[in-house]
Amino acid sequence: MTVTETAADTKVGLCVSETAFRPRPDGEDNYTISEVASHTGLSAYTLRWYERIGLMSRVDRSHTGQRRYDNQDLGWLEFVGKLRLTGMPVADMVRYAELVREGDHTFAARQELLVRHREDVRRHIADLQGTLAVLDFKIEVYGGGSQ
């Protein structure tokens, strides 16, 4: 899945309820900050902060100055959400965003950043698996073998 593809585009999450967010067609994708906050679970404050620190590229504005997000912005926020779930430091996410904005000649640097972080994620998963094994053992001890 590319950064701008959504779960709906790739048929991921087919069990999602009928009230799930459905992106508007390109050209009609003009979302307010409150709509984006509702869809992403991020606060309007966080969305503005992402823009201020450079994690989001410049967000379009309406004629009255209100932020207007598009499907590409939503795709980017979905990707950033995945990076957040992996525990990537904000500084690394901002650096990645800067590299994306610099253009295709930064592919190698982007790949290096992601490969390095993937190794951190793999180490963390291994730590969690070890911790889970300890929890499973303790649960078995306290439950007399039944779970």
Side-chain angles (χ1 to χ4, degrees):
M1 177 166 32
T2 66
V3 171
T4 58
E5 286 177 330
T6 64
D9 293 335
T10 58
K11 305 289 187 230
V12 175
L14 293 176
C15 297
V16 177
S17 73
E18 286 300 312
T19 60
F21 178 81
R22 294 193 194 327
R24 298 176 188 143
D26 289 342
E28 298 175 29
D29 54 338
N30 192 6
Y31 306 98
T32 65
I33 196 167
S34 60
E35 289 172 318
V36 173
S38 176
H39 168 64
T40 62
L42 299 170
S43 68
Y45 174 84
T46 298
L47 292 167
R48 288 188 292 270
W49 180 67
Y50 279 5
E51 188 179 356
R52 192 168 51 253
I53 66 171
L55 191 52
M56 292 280 305
S57 57
R58 188 181 174 287
V59 176
D60 284 339
R61 302 285 181 135
S62 70
H63 68 282
T64 60
Q66 294 178 326
R67 287 171 176 81
R68 294 293 181 207
Y69 297 84
D70 60 23
N71 290 333
Q72 189 171 355
D73 295 325
L74 294 181
W76 176 255
L77 287 169
E78 181 180 354
F79 180 66
V80 167
K82 301 294 185 200
L83 295 177
R84 287 177 59 223
L85 283 173
T86 67
M88 180 180 271
V90 172
D92 287 349
M93 289 188 280
V94 170
R95 177 64 184 140
Y96 183 84
E98 290 168 348
L99 290 168
V100 169
R101 284 191 292 274
E102 287 176 24
D104 292 351
H105 70 279
T106 65
F107 277 2
R110 288 186 243 172
Q111 181 184 30
E112 179 185 336
L113 192 151
L114 294 175
V115 166
R116 205 173 48 242
H117 183 63
R118 178 178 62 189
E119 291 308 311
D120 291 342
V121 170
R122 285 184 172 157
R123 277 191 292 279
H124 186 67
I125 289 170
D127 290 345
L128 288 173
Q129 287 173 332
T131 301
L132 182 58
V134 170
L135 288 173
D136 287 343
F137 172 77
K138 285 295 194 180
I139 289 168
E140 188 172 322
V141 166
Y142 295 135
S146 63
Q147 290 190 18

